[in-house]
């Protein structure tokens, strides 16, 4: 019920009462009552199968479904003052919410920052689908040529009852000394 000290009445009530064209016929109070209701449904049986141990790839981290992977890098020519970004996009159907960033083994002379994650996941007709983007920002410490190795993403396909491994391309970085690089070659 709306009382005199109700915020709605304090704000709108005074505004409406000062309006000569407004009549009290629009001001209605409502009574309500909480009623406890017990609801019961039929039990639902769920059959859960274990993911097999046999032939499980080393890069498998629990993904189940059907997926694709895309990879790109924003630049391969940079200086020691630059940052490059590698983006992996995993798309498909399955337990997308549980997928973590695939591991990339960066060379020792390249600093890798925390992986940024963005996702678009929908649940339509009991199918969880969408994609996850993982962005790896990296910064070279020294000039030279570096290879960013391929990364693997493995998942279990429940329809085919088999593991699948997707691989990203490797990238070659050509790094020149930056303006304040103390390790510049003479």
């Amino acid at each position: 019920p709306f009382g005199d000290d109700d915020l709605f009445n304090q704000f709108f009530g005074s505004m409406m009462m000062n309006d000569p064209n407004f009549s009290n016929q629009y001001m209605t109070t409502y009574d309500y009552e909480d009623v406890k209701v017990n609801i019961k449904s039929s039990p639902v049986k769920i059959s859960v199968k274990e993911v097999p141990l046999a032939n499980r790839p080393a890069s498998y981290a629990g993904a189940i479904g059907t997926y694709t992977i895309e990879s790109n890098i924003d630049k391969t020519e940079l200086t020691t003052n630059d940052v490059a970004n590698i983006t992996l996009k995993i798309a498909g159907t399955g337990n997308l919410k549980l997928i973590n960033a695939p591991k990339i083994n960066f060379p020792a002379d390249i600093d890798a920052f925390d992986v940024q994650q963005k996702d678009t996941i929908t649940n339509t007709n009991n199918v969880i689908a969408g994609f996850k983007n993982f962005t790896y920002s990296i910064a070279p410490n020294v000039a030279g040529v570096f290879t960013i190795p391929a990364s693997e993403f493995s998942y279990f396909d429940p329809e085919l009852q088999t593991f699948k491994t997707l691989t990203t391309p490797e990238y070659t970085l050509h790094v020149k000394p930056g303006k304040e690089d103390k390790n510049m070659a003479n």
Side-chain angles (χ1 to χ4, degrees), residues 145-164:
V145 177
F146 300 95
T147 300
I148 307 297
S151 178
E152 289 186 347
F153 170 71
S154 295
Y155 65 93
F156 182 74
D157 185 325
E159 296 293 321
L160 300 175
Q161 291 291 302
T162 187
F163 289 97
K164 302 275 185 163

Side-chain angles (χ1 to χ4, degrees), residues 96-111:
L96 272 164
K97 293 180 181 184
L98 303 178
I99 293 175
N100 293 317
K103 183 168 178 47
I104 299 178
N105 294 314
F106 294 104
D109 289 326
I110 294 184
D111 289 334

Side-chain angles (χ1 to χ4, degrees), residues 118-132:
K118 291 184 181 177
D119 59 42
T120 300
I121 299 172
T122 60
N123 185 351
T124 307
N125 297 328
N126 296 324
V127 175
I128 298 172
F131 63 88
K132 277 190 153 182

Side-chain angles (χ1 to χ4, degrees), residues 3 41 51 64 100 108 138 183:
S41 67
V51 175
I64 299 172
N100 293 317
I138 56 174
N183 299 318

